[in-house]
Amino acid sequence: MASILPASKRAMIPDKNAYNGKRFVNVKNPYLDTMDEDVLYHLDLGTKTHNLPAMFGDVKFVCVGGSPNRMKAFALFMHKELGLAGSGEDIKDICAGTDRYCMFKTGPVLSISHGMGIPSISIMLHELIKLLHHARCCDVTIIRMGTSGGIGIAPGSIVITDTAVDSFFKPQFEQVILDNIVTRSTELDKELAEELFNCSKEIPNFPTLIGHTMCTYDFYEGQGRLDGALCSFSREKKLDYLKRAYKAGVRNIEMESTVFAAMCGLCGLKAAVVCVTLLDRLHSDQINLSHDVLVEYQQRPQLLISNFIKKQLGLHDQMT
Amino acid sequence: MASILPASKRAMIPDKNAYNGKRFVNVKNPYLDTMDEDVLYHLDLGTKTHNLPAMFGDVKFVCVGGSPNRMKAFALFMHKELGLAGSGEDIKDICAGTDRYCMFKTGPVLSISHGMGIPSISIMLHELIKLLHHARCCDVTIIRMGTSGGIGIAPGSIVITDTAVDSFFKPQFEQVILDNIVTRSTELDKELAEELFNCSKEIPNFPTLIGHTMCTYDFYEGQGRLDGALCSFSREKKLDYLKRAYKAGVRNIEMESTVFAAMCGLCGLKAAVVCVTLLDRLHSDQINLSHDVLVEYQQRPQLLISNFIKKQLGLHDQMT
């Protein structure tokens, strides 16, 4: 599966050596190159069963998100936006042999689902980063697009994360390695965040801001929800917590950004997190949007990221 | 969707009052009953949009597992094993409106996928427990069936968990609530584990044991794998860690059991964890089984749990 960008478009893509220098993906594992075969188990791919450089060598943008349906929708959208041949409707799930994750490729854009929560995205990222390494990809930008709960901002707003913070508002991710805890940085690429923010200004009626994103291990008790099967705190304690988060610079809450920032940072991937907020947690716990509004909100990160990618590829004339 | 067990089978199910006493599901949230509507967002169900008692009131067994395909396969298998009408091939995903989880119902057996990792299963459990509460279910047994890495036991072995332990071999789950850490017990129902173990003895060539299950937040660094994108420890350190786990009574490693044990315990659900091991982590990190062997191993927990359920329902004559 070589580049499927038509020749007319391919000319518009800057040469990979010229485009932002030649930055390879760093796996930080001395054992990897000694392995005879690397099976990327949860992606149903492997170095002996697949020609990874041929399949993925031209990837420049990796977009990840929790929901398989949404990542397929994004791939179809990118297919159209990049002006690729065919309707794209027959786009194949590259990981069809497993139901853990879905993966779609449209030209230089890879679209992958990661499920919900830190452990689920972490498995995918380990195998994705090895995939990009085996495929000898360079100058890769990776963007997580997601849904989130906002704090003190209108539902439908886009938050571009500058720094991911944990439940204690600390800009760090605690990784358990064997039985040791190692603390990793969760800073994201500031320049990339600014570029995305600038892109957002060109879209009418598109409320966007840059802020901290809080990443929790739990959707209910961990995010101060009063509507879980378990709830041991008062409404006042909940609001006090969310207001303290706001004061610390947190504008939205989701469940994957800290490990995403930490792993991409360590492996030399330029990374961003772009989430839409579905509710303001200062006002409610449950999402009460109509189906149509929910669908439109969920498309917002896709629209912004698609515009950014087209700009990077020199397809300015085709901005949505 | 009332009971779909044919009348001839229904008579074999002990009366719910007689069967093990009348044990309701305990939600521990004083706010829940004050809510006008409860939207189980990630299951695409709700108290106003669905008649939950009619749909789920007869549920006695809930089986959960990571993979949607496997949970569908289990539902089809149970359909056949319970002798329900029709081929079952047209079985519907009750959560078809969302791609977060899948849910299937065959008679008194609910089969649900939970994705990978503690946060993913935790969201599902909050909403499942509320569902069982809203549906006024009683005397519910819940069993997680999964795949795992074994320690010092042959691949293909079944481990029935007595106690789930964390990465530090402690029988506890640390739940972050707002910005406090609360420690919860991870003991499982000893009697249920024994009953499952006794069932296993009736199946020929079915290596089964009761032991501790270690639950980690990470598949690679957290489980001492040398084949991730990141690896900062030596082979010796890895083996030392796994051997210490073995000494502490750990026989397998997976990624959901601590929060499963903690939440089910708090909410009064009789709970068990039944996992097959796909490799011996003292010998390797990657799963190198042939497709057929992998499929057969993955069916083992299903076979054991199906036999257990049939026994409970008085369908002894139909043991597989």
Side-chain angles (χ1 to χ4, degrees):
Chain A
M1 203 191 298
S3 169
I4 54 167
L5 265 189
S8 61
K9 303 284 175 199
R10 238 179 281 159
M12 292 172 172
I13 304 177
D15 176 72
K16 66 182 175 182
N17 292 315
Y19 169 64
N20 211 12
K22 204 159 183 170
R23 196 168 27 91
F24 283 96
V25 180
N26 297 324
V27 296
K28 296 209 166 165
N29 178 353
Y31 298 99
L32 209 65
D33 287 335
T34 69
M35 287 167 61
D36 181 41
E37 178 179 13
D38 187 13
V39 177
L40 309 174
Y41 180 71
H42 300 87
L43 301 180
D44 197 39
L45 294 169
T47 52
K48 277 201 172 168
T49 47
H50 298 79
N51 184 343
L52 299 178
M55 287 173 76
F56 299 104
D58 65 333
V59 168
K60 295 292 170 204
F61 302 95
V62 179
C63 300
V64 306
S67 145
N69 290 348
R70 210 187 303 136
M71 296 323 291
K72 183 173 185 181
F74 178 69
L76 291 173
F77 182 55
M78 281 312 308
H79 184 97
K80 192 172 127 269
E81 295 293 298
L82 293 177
L84 302 181
S87 72
E89 291 298 328
D90 56 346
I91 191 166
K92 284 211 174 55
D93 176 6
I94 299 170
C95 303
T98 172
D99 60 352
R100 302 301 191 170
Y101 305 108
C102 287
M103 183 191 286
F104 306 92
K105 186 172 181 299
T106 43
V109 183
L110 203 59
S111 173
I112 314 172
S113 70
H114 56 59
M116 288 188 289
I118 286 172
S120 186
I121 193 174
S122 145
I123 296 174
M124 189 280 282
L125 286 174
H126 271 279
E127 300 185 13
L128 168 69
I129 289 165
K130 292 197 294 174
L131 182 158
L132 298 173
H133 167 74
H134 293 311
R136 296 193 284 278
C137 296
C138 63
D139 304 327
V140 175
T141 296
I142 182 166
I143 307 178
R144 162 165 149 70
M145 58 174 79
T147 53
S148 62
I151 306 184
I153 57 177
S157 303
I158 292 276
V159 179
I160 300 167
T161 309
D162 52 6
T163 302
V165 302
D166 65 14
S167 298
F168 311 94
F169 320 140
K170 286 188 188 156
Q172 63 180 42
F173 174 66
E174 291 192 346
Q175 172 70 50
V176 180
I177 302 181
L178 307 176
D179 48 356
N180 297 307
I181 296 171
V182 173
T183 299
R184 291 177 171 166
S185 160
T186 52
E187 260 193 77
L188 289 152
D189 193 291
K190 295 265 182 295
E191 197 186 323
L192 177 57
E194 283 296 336
E195 284 176 284
L196 284 160
F197 185 64
N198 289 337
C199 261
S200 77
K201 291 182 196 159
E202 294 163 25
I203 309 173
N205 304 316
F206 204 80
T208 306
L209 53 100
I210 293 182
H212 294 355
T213 295
M214 181 161 76
C215 176
T216 67
Y217 278 99
D218 179 45
F219 186 78
Y220 287 96
E221 296 175 281
Q223 294 187 11
R225 277 191 162 79
L226 302 171
D227 65 334
L230 301 165
C231 179
S232 55
F233 45 86
S234 66
R235 197 178 299 275
E236 291 67 38
K237 284 271 180 205
K238 162 201 160 167
L239 283 174
D240 168 68
Y241 178 63
L242 294 178
K243 284 176 184 167
R244 281 189 288 126
Y246 186 88
K247 264 195 188 164
V250 173
R251 292 296 174 271
N252 66 335
I253 316 176
E254 44 78 273
M255 298 179 69
E256 294 87 13
S257 59
T258 48
V259 75
F260 173 82
M263 288 185 68
C264 295
L266 281 171
C267 295
L269 286 165
K270 230 177 153 171
V273 177
V274 175
C275 290
V276 67
T277 61
L278 300 182
L279 74 171
D280 182 352
R281 289 298 318 291
L282 295 179
H283 297 139
S284 62
D285 291 332
Q286 297 218 330
I287 296 156
N288 287 315
L289 303 170
S290 74
H291 177 76
D292 289 353
V293 171
L294 188 62
V295 168
E296 195 267 312
Y297 283 1
Q298 292 184 355
Q299 283 166 348
R300 291 186 180 184
Q302 300 188 22
L303 179 62
L304 175 58
I305 292 164
S306 145
N307 278 2
F308 166 78
I309 290 175
K310 283 188 293 177
K311 216 171 192 174
Q312 293 290 313
L313 293 178
L315 306 174
H316 292 84
D317 48 324
Q318 292 181 25
M319 296 289 275
T320 304
Chain B
M1 204 191 299
S3 170
I4 53 165
L5 266 190
S8 61
K9 302 284 175 197
R10 235 177 284 159
M12 292 172 173
I13 304 178
D15 176 72
K16 66 180 176 185
N17 292 315
Y19 169 64
N20 211 13
K22 203 159 183 168
R23 198 168 25 92
F24 284 95
V25 180
N26 297 325
V27 296
K28 296 207 166 167
N29 178 353
Y31 298 99
L32 209 64
D33 287 336
T34 69
M35 287 166 62
D36 181 42
E37 179 179 14
D38 187 12
V39 178
L40 309 174
Y41 180 71
H42 301 87
L43 301 180
D44 197 39
L45 294 168
T47 51
K48 277 200 172 168
T49 47
H50 299 79
N51 184 342
L52 300 178
M55 288 173 77
F56 299 103
D58 64 334
V59 167
K60 294 293 172 203
F61 302 95
V62 179
C63 299
V64 307
S67 146
N69 290 350
R70 210 187 304 138
M71 296 322 290
K72 184 174 185 181
F74 178 69
L76 291 173
F77 182 55
M78 281 311 308
H79 184 97
K80 192 172 125 267
E81 293 294 297
L82 293 177
L84 303 182
S87 72
E89 291 299 327
D90 55 346
I91 192 166
K92 284 208 174 58
D93 176 7
I94 301 170
C95 304
T98 172
D99 60 352
R100 302 300 191 170
Y101 305 108
C102 287
M103 183 191 287
F104 306 93
K105 187 173 180 299
T106 43
V109 182
L110 203 59
S111 173
I112 314 172
S113 69
H114 56 59
M116 288 188 289
I118 286 173
S120 187
I121 193 175
S122 144
I123 296 174
M124 189 280 282
L125 285 174
H126 271 280
E127 299 185 12
L128 167 69
I129 290 166
K130 292 197 295 175
L131 183 158
L132 297 173
H133 167 74
H134 293 311
R136 296 193 286 277
C137 295
C138 63
D139 303 327
V140 175
T141 296
I142 182 165
I143 306 177
R144 162 165 149 70
M145 57 174 80
T147 54
S148 62
I151 306 184
I153 57 178
S157 303
I158 291 276
V159 179
I160 300 168
T161 309
D162 52 4
T163 302
V165 302
D166 65 15
S167 298
F168 310 94
F169 320 140
K170 286 190 187 152
Q172 63 180 41
F173 174 66
E174 292 193 345
Q175 171 71 48
V176 180
I177 302 182
L178 306 177
D179 48 356
N180 297 306
I181 296 172
V182 172
T183 299
R184 290 176 173 167
S185 160
T186 53
E187 261 193 78
L188 288 152
D189 193 292
K190 295 265 181 296
E191 197 186 324
L192 177 59
E194 282 296 337
E195 284 176 283
L196 284 159
F197 185 65
N198 289 337
C199 262
S200 76
K201 291 182 197 161
E202 295 164 25
I203 309 173
N205 304 317
F206 204 79
T208 307
L209 54 99
I210 293 181
H212 294 355
T213 296
M214 182 161 75
C215 176
T216 66
Y217 279 99
D218 180 46
F219 185 78
Y220 287 96
E221 297 175 280
Q223 295 187 11
R225 277 190 161 80
L226 302 171
D227 66 332
L230 301 165
C231 179
S232 54
F233 46 85
S234 66
R235 198 177 300 273
E236 291 66 39
K237 286 271 180 204
K238 163 201 160 167
L239 284 174
D240 169 68
Y241 178 64
L242 294 178
K243 285 176 184 167
R244 282 190 286 126
Y246 185 89
K247 264 195 187 164
V250 173
R251 291 298 173 270
N252 66 336
I253 317 176
E254 44 79 273
M255 299 179 68
E256 294 87 12
S257 57
T258 49
V259 74
F260 174 82
M263 287 184 69
C264 295
L266 281 172
C267 295
L269 287 165
K270 229 177 154 171
V273 177
V274 175
C275 289
V276 69
T277 61
L278 299 182
L279 74 171
D280 182 353
R281 289 297 318 290
L282 296 178
H283 297 141
S284 61
D285 291 333
Q286 297 219 330
I287 297 156
N288 287 316
L289 303 170
S290 73
H291 178 77
D292 290 353
V293 172
L294 187 63
V295 168
E296 195 268 311
Y297 284 1
Q298 292 185 353
Q299 283 166 347
R300 291 185 181 185
Q302 299 187 23
L303 179 61
L304 175 57
I305 292 164
S306 145
N307 278 2
F308 167 78
I309 290 175
K310 284 189 292 178
K311 215 170 194 176
Q312 292 290 314
L313 293 177
L315 306 175
H316 293 84
D317 50 323
Q318 293 183 22
M319 296 289 274
T320 304

